[in-house]
Structure formats: structure tokens, C-alpha cells
Amino acid sequence: TTSNLTAAREGATTLAGGGSASQTSRVPALLDDAELLRRLVAFDSVSRNSNTPIADFIADYLDRPGIRASLNPNEDGTKLNLIIEAGAPTNPAVRDGLVLSGHMDVVPAEEPDWRSDPFRMEDLGDRYVGRGTADMKGFLALAMNRMARADLGRLHRPLALLFTFDE
């Protein structure tokens, strides 16, 4: 069988859990917000690099029943935009629902004043420090977990996450 992520990479919009029983049983465990952010920060998604590893992680994490993922590559296939949807499919004529949008890339971490590895999140008690914790991976983690934990049957309109490879 083809995984949902593989099908999405081939241009198909997929419905998580729509495959075999073995696919449905592989729903990834939910992480708390801080651990999810820690994992996102660990990806070196500097804008000059491919964002495929972080895009794949996000698509895999949200590979759940009722959630559809579309991966849209750039011209040379090195970067991906993600559209993750839940709820009833959007009617293009109406375009109703809610879209939460953010970017997966970060600026280079070449400043000399870093006191720690910028791709290893540090919890300083009153704040997290790491490349992307405030712009924009913190938002991505919160949006991802809100969608993953949502009671999708209660959505009256579609909910979409649009995560881009560039600002």
C-alpha cells in the first residue's frame, strides 16, 4: 500500500486513515506543545536549505483520520508548501472556513551571540530559546496540536493550515 504522505507527494490530496487497517493503526502519538516545538526547532529549515524534512514531519504528524494533506513542491522540488485540511472539503466558489497560515523556514543562525545550539530548544523557565521558537515554529506547533486534538465532527466549516516554505 502507498502511505498517505507518498500519495500526497505524488500530487494527490489524501484522507488520513483512508487506507488499510494497518495505516489507520499507525496514527502518530500526540506530543505536548513544548515537545512538538522542540522537535520543530531541531529541523535546520534555514531558508537557503530544503524544507522537505520539516514538511515531511508535519505531514506525518498530522496524518490522522479526517485530516487531508497536500504537499505542493516548488519548481525544482527542493521545497514544499503544505495545505492541511480538516472538516468538509472547501467549496471553491464559496471559500468559507478558517485558514491559519505560517512559514516553516527560519533565517540563518549565524549571529555570534548564540549561547547554545540554535537548533536545540532551551527552556529558560520563563521562555524558550531556539531558532524559530517565536517566529514561526511556536505558532506551527500550537496550530498543529489544535488541529490534531480538534473534534473534527463539530466543525461547521473547513479548517486549513497553510504552511509555506518561505515567508
Side-chain angles (χ1 to χ4, degrees), residues 132-162:
T133 54
D135 180 21
M136 172 116 233
K137 292 179 179 180
F139 169 80
L140 300 181
L142 293 174
M144 290 166 61
N145 267 344
R146 294 315 160 278
M147 178 179 271
R149 288 184 170 96
D151 180 352
L152 302 180
R154 295 188 61 194
L155 292 178
H156 296 287
R157 293 200 167 77
L159 170 63
L161 304 179
L162 171 62

Side-chain angles (χ1 to χ4, degrees), residues 39-108:
R39 298 220 186 152
L40 293 175
V41 167
F43 287 98
D44 181 354
S45 58
V46 169
S47 53
R48 65 179 167 245
N49 300 336
S50 173
N51 75 325
T52 299
I54 191 171
D56 286 346
F57 173 82
I58 292 169
D60 285 343
Y61 185 78
L62 290 172
D63 188 6
R64 301 172 184 285
I67 297 178
R68 302 171 301 282
S70 298
L71 292 88
N72 302 302
N74 65 350
E75 287 182 16
D76 65 9
T78 59
K79 296 186 179 189
L80 298 167
N81 288 323
L82 289 174
I83 302 171
I84 313 279
E85 298 175 277
T90 303
N91 176 347
V94 177
R95 294 187 168 248
D96 60 351
L98 176 65
V99 176
L100 301 175
S101 181
H103 56 90
M104 296 174 277
D105 68 311
V106 295
V107 297

